[in-house]
Amino acid sequence: PEVPSPLYDEGILYFVKNGGVLTTVDVTTGKRLSRTRTKGKGTHYASPIIAGGKLYSTAGNGTISVMELGPRPKLLAVNDMRDRTYATPAAVDGVLYVRTHSRLYAFGD
């Protein structure tokens, strides 16, 4: 990745780069397990996060892709924030906070 930090979970590294390319790598062998596209396009300044057992990847155009964890992640949901989004979301006590260019959102029960 150019800007986003990688993630680690249960022996797998997750990397997201511009264009929404998600790569998984086995930390024991160093081998690439998969490469797939999220629905995010363009720049990816925000780092992906893991919350509630899912990976969230945020594209600069405001698209947040929710991915299944594991060696071959699958796309579970796509959310359009309808605003540029460069900040990394934060998850606290079951609430997901997303800061777009013009607003702060809190999603939870």
Side-chain angles (χ1 to χ4, degrees), residues 7 9 12-14 16 22-24 34 36-38 48-57 65-78:
L7 283 174
D9 184 68
I12 299 173
L13 278 175
Y14 298 86
V16 177
L22 173 66
T23 301
T24 57
S34 68
T36 188
R37 285 199 179 271
T38 67
I49 66 166
I50 294 173
K54 295 171 182 58
L55 183 143
Y56 293 80
S57 174
S65 299
V66 183
M67 309 289 291
E68 176 181 86
L69 292 173
R72 300 194 185 292
K74 290 185 175 63
L75 184 67
L76 300 174
V78 178

Side-chain angles (χ1 to χ4, degrees), residues 11-68:
I12 299 173
L13 278 175
Y14 298 86
F15 299 90
V16 177
K17 70 178 191 172
N18 285 340
V21 178
L22 173 66
T23 301
T24 57
V25 174
D26 182 302
V27 296
T28 304
T29 64
K31 287 189 169 189
R32 183 175 70 202
L33 300 171
S34 68
R35 183 173 283 161
T36 188
R37 285 199 179 271
T38 67
K39 290 297 180 181
K41 296 184 179 170
T43 59
H44 280 66
Y45 295 124
S47 294
I49 66 166
I50 294 173
K54 295 171 182 58
L55 183 143
Y56 293 80
S57 174
T58 305
N61 70 351
T63 302
I64 300 176
S65 299
V66 183
M67 309 289 291
E68 176 181 86

Side-chain angles (χ1 to χ4, degrees), residues 85-108:
T85 309
Y86 300 137
T88 299
V92 180
D93 296 331
V95 178
L96 183 66
Y97 296 93
V98 177
R99 183 176 62 87
T100 69
H101 184 69
S102 62
R103 290 188 168 80
L104 174 64
Y105 295 91
F107 300 100

